[in-house]
Amino acid sequence: MAEDEEEASKTYQYLVLLLGLASLTMAAATLYSMEVLGVNYGAGLAILGLANRTSATINVTQITASVGTLQTGIRENYLAAIIAFGLLGASLVLYVSRYRRFSSVSRRYTLMHFTLTLLYIGIFYLILSSLQINYLTNLYFLVIFAAVAIAFVIDVYLQLGISTKSPLGSRTRGGIRIEPDSPYSNLLNLRDTLFSKLNGDVRIVDKHFNSAAISNLHRLLETNLTNIKKLEIISSREMFDAKFNDNYTDFKNELGNKGVSLNFLLMSDADAVAQHERFVFDDSKAYKIPPLNIINKKSEHIVGLRVGEARSRFEALMRNATKYDNYVVKQARGPG
């Protein structure tokens, strides 16, 4: 199952890369059509000038209309060029954020790319009507058509994926319902049906981790610590309270006494702004959860997520994160 999740994540990355190549082709197409339109427009003006100075039988009215059409095509091509480079920029953002497939950034730029693709198709059709070229037999234009088709299909696929999946992947059937009027029963239910099933290396992402979160996490894991080897948590310093460091130290020492190592990390400021989902996972299971400090009080339906997507997102946050112990030392030293 984990291998399937990793394969799905890699497939997404390849699709985004292919989307970027299609966008690059579409941008190049506007430059090429700009050249063709410019040459035809210049030739039309030259013929029109010749017609005004000679008595040869040249249809001046027809040439004038043709020049006007080409001029309109050039204006449309400038607009298409702007859209094409917008497509290229959107695909670049999607590739850079490929490890955050269902983040708000990826959602916005996927929708942006899809919208720009539709606009590009409409404007490029108008441009083709200005070109006196049999583009159906022109290999270059066939490549462009293929690029547009690829971009459209990938955009539709990504949009469907975002609209049918949770922020971190497909939801599994079932789940756990949290009722705000029964916080004690909620904790027991969460402990017995979810946290007691975790084992091995357990990882958590929750950017609002404070003393209340430590207390709830201890109560959720206390009956299952013998099955856990390592606990890794990525959070931020947004909600640290006055007693947090003391509670963290006691929690870490108690886990250590029971053979569980704790690795507590603080995500970068940029990631803290972008990261909204909270989740917990081990090597075979992943769940979207409410904030741990109010996990038993917030009305929510806890559901399963894709392990591969959760792992990819965790690793992406981890690359820019700082160890909490190093953060404490730095704070103790003060500025400079």
Side-chain angles (χ1 to χ4, degrees):
M1 182 66 178
E3 292 181 357
D4 291 340
E5 307 296 350
E6 290 296 332
E7 188 63 30
S9 180
K10 290 180 180 179
T11 299
Y12 172 78
Q13 295 176 42
Y14 292 142
L15 286 176
V16 171
L17 179 60
L18 184 59
L19 187 66
L21 294 176
S23 300
L24 181 61
T25 302
M26 293 158 72
T30 61
L31 300 180
Y32 176 75
S33 58
M34 192 179 298
E35 178 185 357
V36 174
L37 285 167
V39 170
N40 289 347
Y41 181 67
L45 288 177
I47 295 173
L48 184 58
L50 178 63
N52 290 328
R53 295 193 300 269
T54 182
S55 59
T57 56
I58 299 177
N59 191 332
V60 177
T61 302
Q62 184 178 0
I63 296 174
T64 303
S66 177
V67 169
T69 301
L70 287 170
Q71 190 176 38
T72 301
I74 290 173
R75 294 194 186 100
E76 293 168 348
N77 199 90
Y78 282 131
L79 181 57
I82 294 173
I83 294 174
F85 284 102
L87 287 167
L88 193 57
S91 61
L92 178 61
V93 173
L94 288 174
Y95 184 75
V96 171
S97 59
R98 62 192 181 279
Y99 296 108
R100 294 178 285 181
R101 179 179 177 183
F102 295 99
S103 68
S104 58
V105 173
S106 295
R107 292 182 178 191
R108 282 196 301 271
Y109 280 90
T110 298
L111 178 59
M112 175 181 174
H113 198 284
F114 179 57
T115 303
L116 291 177
T117 298
L118 294 178
L119 290 174
Y120 183 92
I121 291 173
I123 293 176
F124 200 70
Y125 172 78
L126 296 176
I127 294 172
L128 289 179
S129 64
S130 304
L131 299 176
Q132 302 300 318
I133 295 177
N134 186 7
Y135 45 79
L136 294 179
T137 59
N138 188 303
L139 179 60
Y140 188 86
F141 279 98
L142 292 178
V143 172
I144 296 171
F145 296 152
V148 172
I150 289 171
F152 178 78
V153 170
I154 294 177
D155 281 331
V156 171
Y157 176 81
L158 295 182
Q159 279 298 120
L160 289 175
I162 285 176
S163 63
T164 58
K165 289 180 170 57
S166 69
L168 287 170
S170 298
R171 298 187 176 190
T172 59
R173 295 180 180 179
I176 304 170
R177 182 67 190 174
I178 302 298
E179 301 295 343
D181 57 347
S182 55
Y184 179 72
S185 298
N186 289 336
L187 270 180
L188 293 180
N189 189 26
L190 286 169
R191 184 189 67 187
D192 295 340
T193 60
L194 192 160
F195 285 85
S196 66
K197 311 300 183 184
L198 300 172
N199 58 76
D201 294 344
V202 176
R203 300 174 177 88
I204 298 172
V205 171
D206 181 0
K207 74 173 184 178
H208 291 154
F209 199 80
N210 57 11
S211 293
I214 292 176
S215 176
N216 285 338
L217 184 58
H218 178 266
R219 295 166 70 184
L220 291 167
L221 293 177
E222 61 181 339
T223 61
N224 189 41
L225 290 177
T226 55
N227 295 320
I228 298 175
K229 297 179 180 179
K230 185 176 184 180
L231 178 62
E232 290 189 288
I233 303 171
I234 296 182
S235 183
S236 71
R237 57 178 183 273
E238 289 184 14
M239 293 187 65
F240 284 172
D241 50 89
K243 291 290 185 181
F244 179 81
N245 190 58
D246 292 337
N247 291 327
Y248 162 79
T249 301
D250 292 341
F251 182 55
K252 181 178 181 179
N253 290 337
E254 183 170 330
L255 289 178
N257 292 335
K258 296 183 179 181
V260 180
S261 63
L262 174 62
N263 185 26
F264 186 50
L265 302 159
L266 300 179
M267 63 183 73
S268 67
D269 292 340
D271 285 337
V273 172
Q275 180 64 34
H276 299 288
E277 295 84 20
R278 299 165 177 87
F279 53 96
V280 57
F281 68 100
D282 59 14
D283 291 336
S284 60
K285 302 172 290 296
Y287 301 92
K288 178 186 175 185
I289 60 174
L292 279 163
N293 59 334
I294 55 171
I295 193 171
N296 59 328
K297 299 177 182 178
K298 184 176 181 180
S299 179
E300 192 162 332
H301 195 70
I302 295 177
V303 293
L305 303 172
R306 291 182 178 273
V307 176
E309 295 289 347
R311 184 182 295 110
S312 295
R313 180 60 183 144
F314 186 90
E315 291 174 352
L317 291 171
M318 194 173 185
R319 281 193 288 270
N320 301 320
T322 302
K323 284 183 173 292
Y324 174 74
D325 294 338
N326 294 340
Y327 166 79
V328 171
V329 171
K330 185 177 180 180
Q331 291 297 110
R333 291 174 178 173

